[in-house]
Amino acid sequence: MQSVYQRAGPCSSCLKRQLNGFLGLIKWQRRLVPACVRTIYSETGKWEKNYGLETRKRVENWWFPRIKEQFCRISETDKSRPKFYVLSMFPYPSGKLHMGHVRVYTISDAVARFQKMRGMQVINPMGWDAFGLPAENAAVEHGLHPASWTQSNIQHMRKQFDALGLSFTWEREVTTCLPEYYKWTQYLFLKLFEAGIVYQKEALVNWDPVDQTVLANEQVDDNGCSWRSGAKVEQKYLKQWFIKTTAYAKAMFDALSDLPEWYGIKEMQANWIGDCVGCSLDFLLKVNGKVTEEKLAAYTYTPEAIYGASHLYILPTHRLLHGNSSLKEVFQREFIPGKDSLTSVTAVNLLTNQEIPIVISAKTNFDNYLDTKIGIPSTSAEDAAVAKNLGISFTEVIETLPNGLEKVINSAEITGMTRQEALKAITQQAKNKRIGGDLTSDKLRDWLISRQRYWGTPIPIVHCPACGAVPVPYGDLPVLLPNVTTFTGKGASPLESAPEWVNCSCPKCKAAARREVDTMDTFVDSAWYYLRYTDPHNSDRPFNSDLADYWMPVDLYIGGKEHAVMHLFYARFFSHFCHDLKMTKHKEPFHKLLVQGLIKNQTFRLTTTGQCLKREEVDLTGSEPVHLKTGEKLQVAWEKMSKSKYNGIDPEEIVKEYGIDTLRLYILFAAPPEQDILWDAKTDAMPGVQRWQVRLWALVTKLIEARTSGIMPNPELLNKKEKAEARKIWEQKNLVISEVTEYFTKDHLFNAAISRLMSLTNVLHQAPRPLVLHSTEFEDALASLCIMVAPMAPHIASEMWKGLAHVQNKLCTHHHWDVDVLHQSWPKVDPVYLQPSDVVEMSVLINNKACGKVSVPQQAARNFEEVQELVLQSELGAKHLQGRAIKKAFLSPRTALINFLVQE
């Protein structure tokens, strides 16, 4: 699918498309409001006094296309300006938005608008994680080609996005199933292949017998079932493609310490990677003195002691005993269950050239996920016991000096080094020879990326009988998917059914060869999309390095906690790899991470069967829910919204009932982003944000009515008490600006930001009429409030601003009244407010009861004697303390408080 801007042409056409996309919204508005009734200020110049249902619909109908149009304008990147890259995880085009989508994209939209108002050059891109099994399943079930199904879903979801008024940078749209995107996924695969970080080996894999595909370990649930089809997963040996993510384990683990707080996600990443203390080294296997084609990578916790290796240790479940290895019969014949079995197969260390025997362990498992270990008696009592029991000779290679220092001995060129020096030397030698040496843990495994499916990125490899696995030349990319028309969901990869595509010539020797028929795991597509967004239309390379260096890292990455391990790990891996290729200057792709909670709704299950019921099948009139038909009591729980559980909420229905702004405010106000929202429109959150919008509107009405009363505003007409109240409004405005700005930039506590804006609303509502008419402070605070509301509720804020902009005889001249609210600068705290006051308002307590405040000079506020004397001499002191026996007094300079204990 082409970018919408390429399809639609200039922005006038873009506006037309958006209006069409908003057709559903217009339809429900017309049912309630005749098209000819237009009373909002922006249309008629007449201010609507109350913000009721009809006014709200007219406001959103008027402002919706105008606000959207502002974000259609394509602009060149200006590298001289400060940037802000906000990114929400792109969706799979399933065809329908759910409330979880609404939450994540509302957050990114509010942040994007806020940062733009702060003067940042902002991108908030959107695209589609468009490859994947559901499209293939649709082809099997409904006869739809995966491409057609995906395209149709994208178009439908685009309309849904449009109806929510989200400010995505659509000019940067990417779709991972399009050749112009997956060409560069293949390019990066070839770069990994060149670097020796992609390899193929036979492996025991998780096989989904229903979907006929391999699953990553993380895609198998706790019950051993597929996370997609629900089928019981089987174990099967297949030759698979792997990306050696373990090569970057140590670098990625260490880089976590440089990242800001990630709400516990850093700990999850660290735990996933594990302690990188050892490494794997490659061995060549021999039998009866003859070299075989088998290679084996084995892990050791102590690479520095490698010259003391006595044997290789494999598990009885190892692929060499169960797969398609030429050594399978030898191993099975020589394996004695329950005993450590010394075999006739030997392994040659490709680093040291030492030849050692292979032992099949009596154990059923090693630590974590290891299935192959190097036995080194010098550093492991267990390995020494195995070697002695089996009569395997070994050499001591670690010597402890009298001062406790451990040195390496009997180890060729590393003899005499400390263990740390030897570790460094051995691992570097192995890495230079590409035979291992990358520090990693015993729990992290390489990334299996082969998938036996059609709808994925083709792996750009050709298999030649003479040359082996040959990479497709860069000039021949992309390797396009063939047009397969029949999908059964059974048997081998659907690509096998396209012989004219599979059969090809070898790029090296030109002999007959076959294309790789596996496609890539979709996690590969999403592991680098954030880089493509920086330069999405580049046809010469994945992205321009200068542009990537300007936009990266992503300043705020927003998504679900379910992606906190796999996706985040793979994305970090690709970023580190691109950095090593000098494609980017930043190693880490994401600066701040915001992991949002779920939106949950109630489920009603029959106690007897566990079956979920629809809402209309439940009787909610009594003290507890029962089945409408049978009266059976139900199990009620809050669970993630799902079609199958009948607890989903359609965002379009909520927009129809409450409007876009109300839904946005509810999403932001109901809970902090990282917490779950328990959906109940009758709770305080939804009515609360509705009432707040009415109160905001009423403030603008209040000012408009005061300024059209015929009395000229004049701050000099305010009396002393009113000026003091105006000062309090000014202080409250500055405090709220300071706090809301911090909530947007540091903690992302949008619920707290809205709460503070509500408090400022209350302060302004308490202002008497003379202040509304004559106070600069009231006018400025209301304008600032309107601006701060705008990123979260842009439609009502735009109309309120338009009303304020046309108020006559304004007292504030620093606002740009001639442009819309979303183009205003974010309010700043007045410099005077930040200056330390010359006077401190000291709270006075008598016998722990507050009596009032006394003004004390700043320089005296920390001196007990001076404060006590000033209080006693004050009007308050004369009234409450004169003639009374003071037993003791306490001063707290930090809280500006003095407490007198007096005789009653």
Side-chain angles (χ1 to χ4, degrees):
M1 186 179 72
Q2 284 182 300
S3 167
V4 66
Y5 297 94
Q6 292 171 322
R7 287 201 316 270
C11 282
S12 58
S13 305
C14 197
L15 177 57
K16 184 178 178 182
R17 179 188 56 77
Q18 288 155 352
L19 286 168
N20 291 336
F22 198 53
L23 192 59
L25 193 60
I26 293 169
K27 281 177 185 172
W28 54 255
Q29 287 170 340
R30 283 178 178 166
R31 284 202 297 271
L32 290 164
V33 185
C36 58
V37 178
R38 305 265 180 169
T39 59
I40 66 166
Y41 186 88
S42 294
E43 294 172 311
T44 65
K46 180 183 176 184
W47 183 256
E48 183 75 28
K49 185 175 180 180
N50 299 310
Y51 192 68
L53 177 67
E54 291 187 6
T55 303
R56 186 262 292 166
K57 289 181 182 292
R58 289 178 208 141
V59 165
E60 291 193 356
N61 189 31
W62 174 266
W63 282 106
F64 177 87
R66 288 159 177 80
I67 289 171
K68 286 281 291 177
E69 193 269 342
Q70 292 168 8
F71 283 88
C72 281
R73 295 168 188 157
I74 301 171
S75 57
E76 290 294 319
T77 299
D78 180 358
K79 295 177 191 169
S80 66
R81 287 177 58 197
K83 64 90 184 180
F84 196 91
Y85 184 176
V86 57
L87 178 61
S88 41
M89 294 178 184
F90 64 173
Y92 178 76
S94 59
K96 199 162 184 66
L97 289 181
H98 54 68
M99 292 304 294
H101 289 130
V102 176
R103 188 179 194 188
V104 66
Y105 301 132
T106 296
I107 291 170
S108 69
D109 182 85
V111 171
R113 294 184 190 281
F114 162 75
Q115 292 292 350
K116 193 170 184 185
M117 293 169 85
R118 291 182 80 211
M120 297 290 192
Q121 185 168 214
V122 176
I123 56 169
N124 177 26
M126 177 48 62
W128 311 97
D129 192 6
F131 273 135
L133 210 49
E136 219 157 311
N137 290 341
V140 173
E141 293 165 20
H142 307 298
L144 295 169
H145 193 277
S148 304
W149 186 83
T150 303
Q151 292 282 13
S152 173
N153 286 352
I154 287 173
Q155 288 169 11
H156 182 64
M157 289 177 77
R158 277 295 303 267
K159 288 178 181 176
Q160 290 181 302
F161 273 132
D162 279 354
L164 290 168
L166 298 166
S167 63
F168 291 124
T169 321
W170 282 111
E171 68 198 63
R172 295 178 181 272
E173 180 182 21
V174 300
T175 305
T176 61
C177 68
L178 295 182
E180 54 261 38
Y181 183 90
Y182 71 70
K183 170 182 179 176
W184 302 113
T185 304
Q186 293 172 341
Y187 172 94
L188 291 170
F189 176 94
L190 293 180
K191 288 293 181 186
L192 289 163
F193 186 87
E194 284 177 8
I197 295 175
V198 165
Y199 64 95
Q200 199 177 22
K201 73 170 184 180
E202 191 177 69
L204 189 65
V205 297
N206 300 310
W207 179 257
D208 184 328
V210 172
D211 288 332
Q212 295 284 295
T213 191
V214 172
L215 301 173
N217 290 295
E218 301 79 19
Q219 295 170 323
V220 180
D221 67 19
D222 294 336
N223 299 316
C225 296
S226 166
W227 72 332
R228 284 198 173 104
S229 72
K232 199 73 177 173
V233 171
E234 299 170 358
Q235 300 293 295
K236 186 174 180 178
Y237 278 96
L238 286 177
K239 206 162 190 185
Q240 302 287 291
W241 285 99
F242 288 81
I243 294 178
K244 198 187 291 184
T245 48
T246 51
Y248 281 81
K250 185 73 166 67
M252 290 171 66
F253 186 95
D254 292 345
L256 288 170
S257 61
D258 298 327
L259 294 170
E261 177 53 47
W262 274 9
Y263 299 99
I265 304 303
K266 279 207 295 188
E267 290 75 10
M268 292 171 71
Q269 284 278 300
N271 183 58
W272 178 259
I273 296 169
D275 294 326
C276 301
V277 294
C279 73
S280 288
L281 295 170
D282 289 348
F283 291 78
L284 193 63
L285 303 193
K286 294 171 73 175
V287 62
N288 299 324
K290 292 180 181 177
V291 175
T292 70
E293 292 182 357
E294 287 287 353
K295 272 188 181 178
L296 193 58
Y299 187 83
T300 173
Y301 295 97
T302 55
E304 69 277 13
I306 189 61
Y307 281 92
S310 58
H311 59 280
L312 277 198
Y313 217 19
I314 65 173
L315 289 177
T317 54
H318 198 280
R319 67 176 177 84
L320 291 173
L321 280 82
H322 302 280
N324 301 302
S325 166
S326 59
L327 301 174
K328 179 177 176 179
E329 286 185 17
V330 177
F331 280 120
Q332 287 185 343
R333 186 173 63 245
E334 297 179 350
F335 172 50
I336 305 169
K339 288 187 177 181
D340 288 327
S341 307
L342 180 62
T343 72
S344 59
V345 181
T346 57
V348 178
N349 188 323
L350 294 179
L351 183 66
T352 66
N353 291 318
Q354 289 177 295
E355 188 171 341
I356 54 178
I358 292 182
V359 174
I360 304 172
S361 175
K363 293 182 173 183
T364 55
N365 60 279
F366 296 144
D367 292 336
N368 289 310
Y369 297 121
L370 296 180
D371 65 358
T372 312
K373 291 199 306 182
I374 304 173
I376 304 179
S378 288
T379 56
S380 166
E382 183 186 345
D383 292 347
V386 170
K388 286 174 184 174
N389 288 341
L390 295 174
I392 303 171
S393 61
F394 58 87
T395 305
E396 290 291 349
V397 292
I398 302 295
E399 179 184 38
T400 305
L401 302 180
N403 62 2
L405 182 67
E406 290 184 311
K407 287 210 163 189
V408 176
I409 58 173
N410 301 321
S411 298
E413 73 279 4
I414 62 170
T415 297
M417 291 184 183
T418 64
R419 289 187 68 169
Q420 193 58 39
E421 290 167 344
L423 172 69
K424 231 175 172 179
I426 285 293
T427 54
Q428 192 56 54
Q429 285 176 31
K431 283 192 279 188
N432 291 345
K433 291 184 177 180
R434 289 194 178 181
I435 52 172
D438 298 297
L439 287 179
T440 185
S441 71
D442 59 7
K443 64 194 297 188
L444 185 67
R445 287 173 286 184
D446 286 336
W447 178 11
L448 189 160
I449 63 161
S450 286
R451 296 293 180 269
Q452 287 65 48
R453 63 178 68 138
Y454 169 78
W455 196 236
T457 298
I459 293 174
I461 293 290
V462 170
H463 296 283
C464 173
C467 307
V470 181
V472 171
Y474 287 105
D476 291 348
L477 297 181
V479 175
L480 295 170
L481 279 171
N483 187 24
V484 173
T485 55
T486 305
F487 296 88
T488 64
K490 311 281 184 199
S493 166
L495 292 174
E496 291 274 19
S497 66
E500 71 288 348
W501 181 85
V502 174
N503 298 315
C504 62
S505 59
C506 172
K508 266 189 182 176
C509 69
K510 308 305 178 188
R514 284 173 55 85
R515 291 192 188 279
E516 173 61 60
V517 293
D518 283 356
T519 53
M520 295 186 210
D521 179 8
T522 55
F523 275 113
V524 181
D525 306 314
S526 59
W528 73 280
Y529 78 115
Y530 51 87
L531 287 164
R532 184 64 176 173
Y533 277 142
T534 66
D535 190 16
H537 307 301
N538 196 323
S539 57
D540 298 323
R541 63 189 85 170
F543 50 86
N544 179 287
S545 292
D546 288 342
L547 286 170
D549 290 346
Y550 171 75
W551 285 112
M552 294 297 290
V554 173
D555 295 281
L556 181 64
Y557 194 35
I558 309 167
K561 198 168 186 175
E562 67 271 24
H563 300 298
V565 174
M566 283 194 297
H567 163 66
L568 209 56
F569 177 78
Y570 299 146
R572 293 182 62 227
F573 164 81
F574 261 86
S575 185
H576 277 249
F577 177 69
C578 288
H579 171 79
D580 282 358
L581 291 184
K582 298 190 168 31
M583 293 172 73
T584 61
K585 72 177 180 184
H586 300 284
K587 275 189 180 179
E588 286 294 328
F590 313 119
H591 180 59
K592 278 192 174 180
L593 183 69
L594 181 57
V595 176
Q596 98 280 356
L598 301 171
I599 298 186
K600 296 181 176 180
N601 201 3
Q602 285 182 312
T603 54
F604 301 94
R605 281 189 171 87
L606 292 171
T607 309
T608 48
T609 63
Q611 178 192 345
C612 288
L613 298 178
K614 298 175 183 177
R615 284 268 170 155
E616 54 267 30
E617 297 175 304
V618 180
D619 182 356
L620 296 167
T621 57
S623 57
E624 53 185 334
V626 295
H627 190 192
L628 201 59
K629 281 185 180 177
T630 64
E632 180 185 338
K633 288 184 181 178
L634 304 175
Q635 292 176 335
V636 183
W638 290 96
E639 297 183 53
K640 181 180 178 180
M641 290 185 182
S642 163
K643 277 185 191 175
S644 62
K645 296 173 186 172
Y646 303 114
N647 69 338
I649 300 289
D650 186 347
E652 289 183 39
E653 293 302 314
I654 299 301
V655 168
K656 286 178 186 178
E657 185 172 355
Y658 295 103
I660 298 172
D661 285 341
T662 304
L663 175 58
R664 288 168 64 95
L665 290 171
Y666 172 83
I667 289 286
L668 297 171
F669 184 56
E674 70 275 9
Q675 291 183 14
D676 293 340
I677 291 177
L678 304 182
W679 180 270
D680 187 350
K682 295 184 177 68
T683 61
D684 287 343
M686 189 68 86
V689 295
Q690 285 180 302
R691 286 193 301 270
W692 182 43
Q693 290 173 88
V694 171
R695 287 170 63 77
L696 285 167
W697 190 272
L699 283 174
V700 178
T701 300
K702 207 172 180 181
L703 183 64
I704 289 172
E705 288 179 343
R707 295 292 173 84
T708 54
S709 62
I711 303 171
M712 283 291 288
N714 183 359
E716 297 303 317
L717 296 177
L718 296 174
N719 61 35
K720 186 177 179 182
K721 183 183 176 185
E722 289 163 348
K723 285 180 179 176
E725 288 177 350
R727 168 96 186 172
K728 286 179 182 175
I729 288 174
W730 175 81
E731 289 173 350
Q732 186 68 16
K733 177 208 76 170
N734 280 291
L735 176 62
V736 170
I737 290 172
S738 171
E739 291 178 334
V740 171
T741 304
E742 187 159 316
Y743 287 137
F744 261 95
T745 53
K746 291 185 180 177
D747 306 320
H748 308 293
L749 296 176
F750 307 105
N751 60 317
I754 291 172
S755 181
R756 295 304 294 126
L757 293 174
M758 286 176 169
S759 72
L760 180 57
T761 306
N762 293 338
V763 168
L764 294 178
H765 264 290
Q766 291 163 11
R769 181 174 167 77
L771 243 65
V772 178
L773 178 58
H774 298 299
S775 164
T776 305
E777 290 82 357
F778 180 91
E779 184 182 304
D780 187 34
L782 180 53
S784 298
L785 175 61
C786 188
I787 293 169
M788 288 188 283
V789 167
M792 296 181 281
H795 304 88
I796 186 175
S798 295
E799 183 63 18
M800 285 164 53
W801 185 263
K802 192 62 77 175
L804 290 174
H806 288 82
V807 166
Q808 298 300 307
N809 306 310
K810 286 191 197 65
L811 299 171
C812 294
T813 56
H814 62 279
H815 295 294
H816 302 290
W817 296 107
D818 56 331
V819 295
D820 291 339
V821 69
L822 289 168
H823 293 287
Q824 299 299 314
S825 294
W826 185 259
K828 291 187 172 70
V829 175
D830 294 321
V832 178
Y833 179 79
L834 298 171
Q835 293 173 2
S837 175
D838 295 334
V839 176
V840 173
E841 294 296 314
M842 187 69 63
S843 297
V844 179
L845 280 70
I846 297 176
N847 290 339
N848 300 314
K849 291 182 181 178
C851 292
K853 292 187 177 183
V854 172
S855 297
V856 173
Q858 175 75 40
Q859 62 268 27
R862 306 187 77 82
N863 187 296
F864 171 71
E865 286 81 9
E866 287 189 51
V867 171
Q868 178 170 297
E869 188 61 30
L870 287 166
V871 171
L872 291 174
Q873 290 174 6
S874 69
E875 188 179 322
L876 182 145
K879 180 179 177 182
H880 293 287
L881 293 169
Q882 199 168 35
R884 302 179 73 180
I886 298 171
K887 293 190 292 184
K888 206 164 188 179
F890 303 91
L891 174 69
S892 171
R894 187 179 63 83
T895 56
L897 178 150
I898 186 166
N899 188 8
F900 292 92
L901 300 181
V902 302
Q903 191 76 43
E904 292 290 357

